[in-house]
Amino acid sequence: MPKTYNIAVIPGDGTGPEVVAEGIKVLNAVSARAGFKLDFHHFDFGGERYLRTGETLPETAIEELKKYDSIYLGAIGHPDVKPGILEKGILLTLRFKLDQYINLRPVRLYPGIDCPIKDKGPEHIDFVVVRENTEGLYAGAGGVLKKGTPDEVAVQESINTRKGVERCIRFAFEYCRKRKKDNKLTLCGKTNVLTYAFDLWERAFYEVAKEYPDIKPDYAHVDAITMWFVKNPEWFDVIVTDNMFGDIITDLGAMIQGGMGIAAGGNINPEGVSMFEPIGGSAPKYKGKNMINPLAAICAAGIMLEHLGEEDSGRAVEQAVMKVTEKHLKSLAAGQMGLTTTEVGDLVAKYVAEI
Ligand code: IPM
Ligand code: MN
């Protein structure tokens, strides 16, 4: 009996279903070659369902999803739904309730892709951001008083628990060791101003660092990091940071690796069910046009394979993507690729079968 992985698929909104279909095409090509099986089960969570039923996630969703080996997500976000409802009701709820405490975001410039930074190439841009994914400003702590009056008060607090911070930092050290690139882990914080939260982060970081004498611990303020991503991206190997800073710096990371068309990530619970997604959103204006770039979703599928323990297959997907960016794509932007969505998926699937 070949090994079988049960994958929950949430295609979601906008171009989500189109890019997920290409990811599944590639996953099927790679699994056929490697001799394992993937069983896909689709869930209709997203904006359309919410507009139809008034429900973001059914009550049983979390328990149901816990039965799968992994979750593969397209995009959440619908033009007819007020911002915040689907993001909080679906995406963040899944991250929190499944305790996916790591958001892993590789930033790598693939060959053939135009880098917006002058004189930087694939040899300069290859790092990974480990973003804490369940705490910080995202925890929802705070409140509002006297809303809508001139005396309105809004408080939004950043929650940082020693346990939450330490498990994230520990994951980052382990990941850095496994990655075997420069053996350097940078903590991205703001210890000069956020002297409560990042004091906790800094102490936890240097304490855990003692257990990893082979990894060089490094620190940079978040504002300086944004400067260095542009000026000296080659300085970075693995970066660990809190939820909000991680959200911001990984969008900058996506830009220096060529754009949202290629940026992928994993919401990881190392002890539970993880979820993999392109980070670009639902791009409603391209929905159904066969124009959107599926490579981010395909890369997310590759990261999922790596996480499932199918490392060779994960690498094969990345290599196949690199062949496509090097030889075939005019641009990563929707409608400017010189190929359709399905043609890009076909090419990656073809190369993956040849690797
Ligand atoms: C991301 C997104 C989400 C986040 C939004 C959609 C809630 O921007 O995955 O980075 O802020 O985490
Ligand atoms: Mn974001």
Side-chain angles (χ1 to χ4, degrees):
M1 271 285 279
K3 183 152 195 191
T4 302
Y5 299 101
N6 292 308
I7 310 295
V9 183
I10 307 175
D13 301 316
T15 52
E18 291 164 65
V19 297
V20 154
E22 299 314 307
I24 290 177
K25 189 189 277 177
V26 172
L27 284 167
N28 283 331
V30 78
S31 63
R33 189 202 72 141
F36 59 87
K37 244 181 115 264
L38 294 158
D39 268 356
F40 299 101
H41 189 279
H42 282 62
F43 290 84
D44 67 350
F45 310 147
E48 295 293 338
R49 185 180 190 283
Y50 172 74
L51 290 170
R52 214 171 54 237
T53 65
E55 186 178 64
T56 45
L57 280 178
E59 244 169 62
T60 51
I62 300 297
E63 286 315 307
E64 180 67 16
L65 289 169
K66 279 185 184 163
K67 296 181 193 151
Y68 288 85
D69 292 307
S70 216
I71 304 168
Y72 186 40
L73 175 74
I76 299 292
H78 194 291
D80 301 337
V81 182
K82 208 172 118 213
I85 294 179
L86 301 172
E87 292 86 338
K88 280 188 157 176
I90 301 179
L91 187 61
L92 297 182
T93 301
L94 291 174
R95 288 179 183 170
F96 289 3
K97 294 226 167 129
L98 294 169
D99 203 19
Q100 294 164 340
Y101 60 87
I102 299 296
N103 194 323
L104 192 71
R105 296 198 166 172
V107 176
R108 186 163 182 197
L109 179 66
Y110 289 133
I113 293 180
D114 271 344
C115 179
I117 310 175
K118 192 168 144 280
D119 299 332
K120 298 291 178 194
E123 68 278 25
H124 301 109
I125 299 176
D126 180 8
F127 59 86
V128 177
V129 178
V130 175
R131 163 186 173 189
E132 200 292 321
N133 211 30
T134 55
E135 301 193 341
L137 282 167
Y138 280 67
V144 61
L145 283 175
K146 302 181 185 174
K147 187 164 177 172
T149 75
D151 298 325
E152 179 163 349
V153 181
V155 178
Q156 193 98 43
E157 286 165 320
S158 176
I159 304 296
N160 299 264
T161 68
R162 173 71 198 214
K163 179 183 152 198
V165 167
E166 190 171 320
R167 67 183 181 174
C168 174
I169 286 172
R170 206 170 282 283
F171 179 94
F173 273 104
E174 287 290 334
Y175 188 85
C176 187
R177 178 179 274 174
K178 235 179 93 192
R179 185 168 138 90
K180 288 199 181 76
K181 194 190 161 232
D182 305 328
N183 293 325
K184 176 179 167 187
L185 178 63
T186 305
L187 171 64
C188 163
K190 189 72 187 173
T191 52
N192 53 348
V193 177
L194 306 180
T195 50
Y196 309 130
F198 281 98
D199 177 57
L200 191 163
W201 274 85
E202 194 179 35
R203 276 182 289 115
F205 182 71
Y206 285 103
E207 277 168 35
V208 175
K210 289 189 198 134
E211 297 169 36
Y212 296 86
D214 50 322
I215 307 294
K216 185 177 174 297
D218 173 46
Y219 173 82
H221 293 320
V222 62
D223 47 349
I225 285 251
T226 62
M227 183 174 79
W228 285 323
F229 269 18
V230 175
K231 200 164 175 286
N232 302 97
E234 65 279 6
W235 284 358
F236 299 105
D237 177 6
V238 180
I239 297 167
V240 63
T241 191
D242 83 344
N243 210 338
M244 188 78 256
F245 291 166
D247 179 46
I248 297 166
I249 67 171
T250 53
D251 269 22
L252 178 56
M255 287 303 118
I256 67 171
Q257 72 181 125
M260 285 298 182
I262 195 86
N267 301 278
I268 294 175
N269 175 345
E271 296 88 35
V273 184
S274 301
M275 176 168 78
F276 300 84
E277 55 171 340
I279 74 175
S282 60
K285 78 172 181 192
Y286 293 110
K287 181 186 162 132
K289 299 210 166 113
N290 204 13
M291 278 162 84
I292 194 78
N293 186 345
L295 286 181
I298 293 171
C299 289
I303 303 172
M304 178 169 84
L305 289 175
E306 208 185 306
H307 185 75
L308 287 169
E310 299 293 343
E311 278 104 350
D312 289 348
S313 295
R315 259 192 303 276
V317 170
E318 189 175 38
Q319 279 165 16
V321 165
M322 281 157 76
K323 282 199 182 169
V324 172
T325 60
E326 189 170 14
K327 297 188 184 161
H328 301 278
L329 278 198
K330 289 213 180 77
S331 154
L332 288 176
Q336 294 167 40
M337 299 187 292
L339 294 168
T340 62
T341 307
T342 44
E343 283 168 344
V344 174
D346 288 344
L347 275 172
V348 182
K350 173 175 108 73
Y351 284 128
V352 110
E354 287 170 10
I355 286 168

